Amino acid sequence: TDHETRQVMVADAMAKDYDAASPQTSPAFFLHLGDVIYGPNPNSYLDQFYRPYMHYPGKILAVPGNHDGETAEKIAAFQKYFCASSQTVPAIAGSVFRQTMTQPGVYWCLDAPFVQIVGMYSNSAENPGYISAPQIGQSQKQWLVKTLKSLAAQRAKGPRKALLFATHHPPYSSGGHSGSTAMLADIDEACQQAGIMPDAFLSGHAHSIQRYSRSAPFKGKTLTIPYIISGCAGHGGQNVATSKGGGNPTYEFGREGWGYSTVRVTSHELTISSYGVDWNSCEKVDSVTVRLT
């Protein structure tokens, strides 16, 4: 299908970011923002995941999307390939060499040298996303509060690392899918309880690239936090609003089509760049930098 060939097109463009002679400037890994597989078949990982990324040399981490969790069988398959007890090449991968990931669960915290990433599972509804609700309880939100308190304590001791949040459903969106207000309120409440805010927020779900700037008062300062949707590495082409506007958040950028985003983190800043990909081209279309102070 078209979106499967487009997925390979984007995957091949992403693979070109790697330079075997210069590992320090190559990506550390690929963070998949969910909807790894579509359709009812939990056994479609070969066609929808392993084959499309067969030329991508890096590790692939993921948060599940709504399509990954829409049945018990599909979320079990996600856990089998991303939350395995050891790194092994699963039988379903066939001749493709890609080991299973060993994430602790469908939501997790990765502590890396310059960045801490909190990946959350925004559940299986088409819209909106949520991390707590009567039907699923409060366990993920309670975990988030505990995790953020731990990260705030680490930050107080230093060094200061960037903090990234990742969910499948976006807090804000101007096309394809609506934003998830209640989910963001839950996450904000956890941040307030822990005394720490993210430096940037990554999401998928809407099949486009979008960027928002949110002004958030915090501890006597006003933070400007970028919220990025990068959901067009396979399925793409959902309409986005063309008019950019004020308000809070400010809608800064929108692009219909295919592409992906990169995150570059140093000890003093974080830069998120988005790329538009077509058959014969890959061009940077948007970029934002956050100073870590």
Side-chain angles (χ1 to χ4, degrees):
T1 63
D2 180 60
H3 67 252
E4 286 169 341
T5 53
R6 292 278 190 172
Q7 183 182 9
V8 172
M9 172 188 81
V10 176
D12 288 350
M14 291 167 60
K16 291 184 176 123
D17 289 341
Y18 279 81
D19 179 0
S22 180
Q24 69 276 14
T25 61
S26 298
F29 54 84
F30 164 29
L31 173 54
H32 197 305
L33 293 167
D35 286 353
V36 182
I37 63 169
Y38 285 79
N41 183 4
N43 297 315
S44 57
Y45 272 82
L46 176 60
D47 290 335
Q48 296 194 47
F49 178 68
Y50 287 100
R51 278 191 185 131
Y53 296 113
M54 65 188 294
H55 300 304
Y56 185 81
K59 299 280 187 187
I60 302 178
L61 285 65
V63 290
N66 57 296
H67 289 286
D68 299 316
E70 58 198 353
T71 65
E73 293 76 19
K74 288 183 74 178
I75 198 66
F78 178 93
Q79 290 171 290
K80 182 177 181 180
Y81 304 123
F82 289 99
C83 312
S85 57
S86 62
Q87 292 191 51
T88 55
V89 178
I92 200 168
S95 60
V96 178
F97 182 84
R98 180 168 300 283
Q99 295 173 314
T100 48
M101 275 309 303
T102 53
Q103 298 169 191
V106 294
Y107 49 88
W108 44 264
C109 177
L110 173 69
D111 192 359
F114 294 111
V115 63
Q116 290 155 329
I117 304 174
V118 176
M120 289 166 265
Y121 176 33
S122 51
N123 279 280
S124 60
E126 182 69 16
N127 263 90
Y130 50 89
I131 62 164
S132 75
Q135 62 268 40
I136 61 161
Q138 298 289 319
S139 57
Q140 182 173 191
K141 187 176 179 184
Q142 290 164 355
W143 169 87
L144 180 61
V145 172
K146 182 179 174 184
T147 298
L148 293 180
K149 283 182 175 177
S150 172
L151 296 182
Q154 287 180 45
R155 181 177 291 186
K157 293 175 187 170
R160 161 80 157 91
K161 293 184 181 183
L163 178 58
L164 268 179
F165 285 177
T167 58
H168 177 66
H169 295 80
Y172 308 113
S173 177
S174 296
H177 290 286
S178 58
S180 294
T181 309
M183 179 191 78
L184 180 59
D186 257 356
I187 294 170
D188 279 350
E189 191 179 316
C191 290
Q192 293 297 332
Q193 286 185 39
I196 193 169
M197 291 287 280
D199 295 298
F201 198 124
L202 306 174
S203 302
H205 198 44
H207 305 163
S208 57
I209 295 170
Q210 299 176 45
R211 177 167 63 86
Y212 299 81
S213 292
R214 178 192 184 191
S215 294
F218 188 71
K219 293 186 175 179
K221 295 192 294 186
T222 299
L223 306 178
T224 301
I225 305 171
Y227 285 70
I228 312 288
I229 296 175
S230 189
C232 53
H235 290 248
Q238 284 183 337
N239 289 332
V240 290
T242 52
S243 61
K244 312 298 186 286
N248 190 23
T250 306
Y251 178 34
E252 304 277 10
F253 179 81
R255 184 184 188 275
E256 179 183 339
W258 282 264
Y260 68 100
S261 301
T262 62
V263 180
R264 181 179 175 85
V265 190
T266 69
S267 59
H268 57 277
E269 66 182 22
L270 172 153
T271 299
I272 302 172
S273 301
S274 294
Y275 296 83
V277 178
D278 219 324
W279 296 115
N280 301 310
S281 66
C282 176
E283 61 169 346
K284 186 187 290 189
V285 293
D286 184 58
S287 188
V288 61
T289 296
V290 178
R291 297 283 301 176
L292 305 177
T293 53

